[in-house]
Amino acid sequence: MPELRHDDTVPNDLRELADETWNDFLEAFPARWDCIPPPTLHAAWELETRAEYQPRTATLSVRVPGTPATLRSELIHEFAHHVEFVCEDHADLRPSFLAAQGFDADTAWFRGDAWETTPSEQYAEAVVELVEGRRTYFGGIVISDAAEAVIANWGSGAR
């Protein structure tokens, strides 16, 4: 099972929550463990957004403090971005995900008129829903059951 690393900024309570969340996240992607190198978690007391992922260093930063539920959602969202950057075959799920979410086939994965209309962000929110179940807040994004199924099938290796 891939591991989650923590830098020196991560307090013990966040470390425990993050490790539990990482394990729950990985349960949705058992067929992809071989392509997931360890990301590093960084706790940020000041951050313009609630969380962010830096692909060059495979580091995800979460703004603290936060409620456990919010932190879990943000961690899962950023873990999803980690997977889309490190697993080469992530590109295989994109056409089906785009179709399931009602995008044109040639829609750019990392661009949208707004955060809510960016396929990559919709994918990350769909992963949160897959791992956590239905949520009440989606940041203006509506996730189709078909999109969630595309991710679940890709993560489990089903076709």
Side-chain angles (χ1 to χ4, degrees):
M1 180 180 280
E3 68 176 323
L4 172 64
R5 296 180 180 153
H6 311 90
D7 70 15
D8 293 340
T9 65
V10 181
N12 288 336
D13 58 342
L14 178 56
R15 183 180 301 249
E16 290 174 23
L17 177 69
D19 287 343
E20 177 184 313
T21 304
W22 177 245
N23 289 335
D24 292 344
F25 171 82
L26 288 175
E27 286 180 15
F29 296 96
R32 306 299 167 190
W33 290 0
D34 63 336
C35 70
I36 304 175
T40 300
L41 176 61
H42 173 80
W45 292 90
E46 293 183 22
L47 193 63
E48 288 186 28
T49 61
R50 289 193 289 186
E52 65 183 25
Y53 178 71
Q54 298 91 28
R56 280 190 221 116
T57 60
T59 301
L60 57 116
S61 298
V62 293
R63 186 173 61 204
V64 294
T67 66
T70 298
L71 289 168
R72 273 186 63 89
S73 293
E74 297 305 325
L75 287 165
I76 294 166
H77 181 102
E78 300 309 327
F79 293 155
H81 285 314
H82 177 63
V83 167
E84 79 183 332
F85 278 96
V86 299
C87 290
E88 287 184 22
D89 60 353
H90 185 271
D92 296 343
L93 81 73
R94 294 177 186 179
S96 297
F97 182 85
L98 289 170
Q101 281 295 95
F103 288 104
D104 290 335
D106 62 348
T107 301
W109 186 255
F110 293 105
R111 282 188 290 239
D113 293 336
W115 179 87
E116 301 86 12
T117 60
T118 303
S120 171
E121 298 302 339
Q122 290 194 12
Y123 151 77
E125 285 299 295
V127 172
V128 175
E129 185 171 326
L130 175 66
V131 174
E132 292 287 273
R134 293 278 177 202
R135 299 180 347 152
T136 57
Y137 173 76
F138 294 98
I141 296 173
V142 176
I143 304 299
S144 72
D145 291 340
E148 190 174 327
V150 166
I151 297 167
N153 289 337
W154 180 81
S156 69
R159 293 287 171 188

